[in-house]
Amino acid sequence: MAQLKAFWEWFSEYQEAYYHLRGFPEDEQAYYFNELDRQLKVYHPSLTYVLHSPKDRLEAELVLTANGDPDGMLLATNLRNVAPTVPNWVFTALIQPKLTVDDIKNKDLEHYKFMEFDLHLSRVRWLPVDMNRETYKYEFVFHFIGLPYANPEIPYEKYIDYLYIILVDMFGELFVSQHIEMVYYDHLYPNDMDWYSLHQLREFLEEGYLD
């Protein structure tokens, strides 16, 4: 417990700098980002953060995340549980869901603007592949309708990274870790297979089937 509190003693000392960080020169921002990352890696190699600077609101937010690693998520939660009250700051354990089923169905929802392409969630399709009978976690294959076939400029790993960004926005970091074993991307979109729309994924994960 004392070791965890040591992080918050350090952060409290520098919280004002992090609160105003977006106004710093880029080299100073890089220094503070790297230092925060270094402080968290002392506790677990997968422990990292998302920093939301204040814009239209008074409070800044520090989200502690472990990118789905179970041990790291436990530590992120424990670290958050001993966080002090710091004026103008909100501390959150794990990335929380941001999208509802209605958001996903909304054709006016803003596109995801990835480095190589923009993507609207209405163009995401998925199929269940397998389920681990011990953990009850699922494997899924996904497809993005309308992208060029097997674009050689986009590494396969990028598709997987983008899929996890979307899934965490939909369900939150903890839910994804508890329910999804693996995701794959398929450049092909066979019409003879029953692909599902993205808004149906929550129902499948919670019920184990679709009506």
Side-chain angles (χ1 to χ4, degrees):
M1 188 70 72
Q3 186 181 13
L4 296 180
K5 288 184 177 180
F7 168 79
W8 293 114
E9 292 173 0
W10 171 84
F11 186 82
S12 295
E13 183 177 352
Y14 294 97
Q15 59 87 15
E16 187 171 352
Y18 282 101
Y19 184 87
H20 297 288
L21 194 57
R22 293 301 181 187
F24 287 17
E26 289 188 4
D27 58 337
E28 291 188 38
Q29 289 187 37
Y31 167 80
Y32 281 102
F33 287 141
N34 291 335
E35 184 62 18
L36 179 53
D37 190 62
R38 188 183 71 82
Q39 291 287 336
L40 290 171
K41 290 293 189 290
V42 169
Y43 299 94
H44 195 278
S46 70
L47 196 58
T48 185
Y49 66 93
V50 178
L51 188 64
H52 296 295
S53 298
K55 293 181 181 179
D56 299 327
R57 61 182 187 179
L58 178 63
E59 295 173 324
E61 182 181 19
L62 176 65
V63 182
L64 302 173
T65 173
N67 295 318
D69 179 85
D71 291 338
M73 288 194 296
L74 177 61
L75 188 52
T77 302
N78 290 341
L79 194 57
R80 167 61 187 87
N81 287 341
V82 298
T85 298
V86 179
N88 299 327
W89 277 95
V90 173
F91 303 123
T92 305
L94 310 181
I95 299 175
Q96 302 300 306
K98 299 191 297 186
L99 299 172
T100 66
V101 171
D102 288 338
D103 289 333
I104 298 167
K105 290 181 179 180
N106 183 3
K107 295 187 181 300
D108 294 327
L109 184 72
E110 185 175 353
H111 288 58
Y112 276 77
K113 298 184 182 299
F114 297 124
M115 183 178 298
E116 299 85 358
F117 56 84
D118 291 356
L119 179 69
H120 195 277
L121 296 184
S122 64
R123 307 193 69 81
V124 180
R125 296 292 184 269
W126 61 273
L127 283 173
V129 175
D130 198 5
M131 184 186 74
N132 186 321
R133 297 293 177 178
E134 295 182 358
T135 63
Y136 293 97
K137 294 183 182 181
Y138 289 92
E139 297 182 8
F140 296 98
V141 60
F142 289 83
H143 176 79
F144 300 154
I145 296 175
L147 293 189
Y149 171 71
N151 190 330
E153 298 179 359
I154 306 177
Y156 177 81
E157 293 75 15
K158 278 287 190 75
Y159 290 100
I160 304 304
D161 289 344
Y162 295 157
L163 280 168
Y164 273 110
I165 289 172
I166 294 169
L167 291 171
V168 169
D169 280 352
M170 289 176 61
F171 302 119
E173 184 176 353
L174 181 60
F175 187 94
V176 170
S177 176
Q178 291 174 334
H179 292 83
I180 298 179
E181 182 101 350
M182 188 72 67
V183 299
Y184 309 95
Y185 183 81
D186 194 340
H187 293 283
L188 298 176
Y189 184 61
N191 292 326
D192 60 345
M193 300 174 68
D194 293 327
W195 293 83
Y196 299 103
S197 297
L198 193 59
H199 72 268
Q200 298 172 285
L201 185 55
R202 175 176 288 278
E203 179 185 351
F204 180 86
L205 286 170
E206 293 179 344
E207 303 296 337
Y209 61 91
L210 292 173
D211 291 332

